[in-house]
Amino acid sequence: MSSYELRRESATVPRRSSAHALDTRISLLRDIAHADQRLEGVLLYGSWTLGEADAHSDLDAYLFVNDADADTFDGRAFVEQLAPLKLAYTNMYGILAVVFDDLMRGEFHVEAAGSAVAEMASWRGVVHFPDPDRAVLLDRTGRLTAAARALAEYEPPEPVATAQQLTDELANWTLMLAHVLARGETARAYALLHTVIAPQQLQLCRLLRGSTTHWLTPSRALEEDLPAGDQERYTATTCRAVDAGVRVAARKSWQWTRDLATEAAQRWRIALPLPLHENIGTQLAAER
């Protein structure tokens, strides 16, 4: 199939029918990357490299540009060769974020190859590529493949220090939640509960259950990864952004945190600030 035919197919396959559109677009990305001598390498990351991609998955990649071309390389123009774009902008993390015409999302890190490939060594323990040869679409020097293969083995979080960090974080943030509720800031309390506290609870829960594959996005595949009892405890901490609901969810959230923290302390002998825990519980109980 020619590059033109691949491009046309990737733009017309319905977004939500199958994962075929993503496979096709990745094939086209490989083709145009090999044809562009400004690129030293292209590395995929995300669900496709983990074998978990479906019709709703994004296309996520690093574009490692030769140092001499880094200042003039137009990431948007390069990505637009894959399919027409409905949206393209540099997001808050400095990443080129796009939406293709079939509503597939994409994120492209455009990096100068010289230093960026070397920095992959610092990803150890955070990122892993179970099939590095699948993740590497282009490697003109061999450096990228070597770096990806060094990240092939998954290194789960070290449990003791991680549990200590998470239990301390949860105590601190829940105290802030109690203060915010006392001030009557329902919307802010809702945001704290769902975007700050809940992800850390899920990480602590995953650590205790030995289910850390989706560590960086702990809500991902929660229904498959965690037991029904844990799912129920998590669900009980969710609510509508109304005052009474947030207050009830906050108390249930703190009880789950205390149960998780107690379990972690018993298993790994971590230290818990128990007087502070009592203070937090008392303050949340008063906010009815």
Side-chain angles (χ1 to χ4, degrees), residues 77-229:
F78 176 85
V79 171
E80 209 159 15
Q81 296 177 79
L82 297 174
L85 302 178
K86 286 183 175 290
L87 177 68
Y89 72 103
T90 301
N91 69 16
M92 65 183 75
Y93 305 109
I95 301 166
L96 174 62
V98 305
V99 176
F100 295 104
D101 64 340
D102 56 1
L103 302 187
M104 182 187 293
R105 296 178 62 255
E107 290 190 350
F108 296 86
H109 302 246
V110 181
E111 307 280 358
S115 58
V117 175
E119 288 174 3
M120 287 176 60
S122 68
W123 298 0
R124 186 177 297 277
V126 179
V127 176
H128 85 291
F129 298 101
D131 186 351
D133 293 330
R134 177 179 173 88
V136 176
L137 295 189
L138 170 69
D139 183 10
R140 299 194 196 277
T141 67
R143 295 194 311 140
L144 182 57
T145 299
R149 287 176 178 171
L151 299 171
E153 293 299 322
Y154 176 60
E155 296 184 6
E158 191 283 318
V160 180
T162 306
Q164 185 70 70
Q165 178 75 23
L166 287 170
T167 54
D168 289 345
E169 292 275 11
L170 286 165
N172 178 56
W173 287 114
T174 306
L175 178 59
M176 181 176 181
L177 172 66
H179 285 308
V180 169
L181 280 171
R183 193 182 289 135
E185 293 183 279
T186 301
R188 188 180 179 195
Y190 175 89
L192 275 170
L193 190 61
H194 292 87
T195 64
V196 178
I197 294 171
Q200 293 178 337
Q201 286 174 316
L202 287 175
Q203 285 188 322
L204 182 55
C205 186
R206 284 183 175 278
L207 195 68
L208 287 162
R209 305 296 173 255
S211 180
T212 57
T213 300
H214 298 112
W215 181 255
L216 295 181
T217 311
S219 60
R220 179 166 186 158
L222 180 149
E223 295 80 4
E224 290 77 35
D225 290 353
L226 294 180

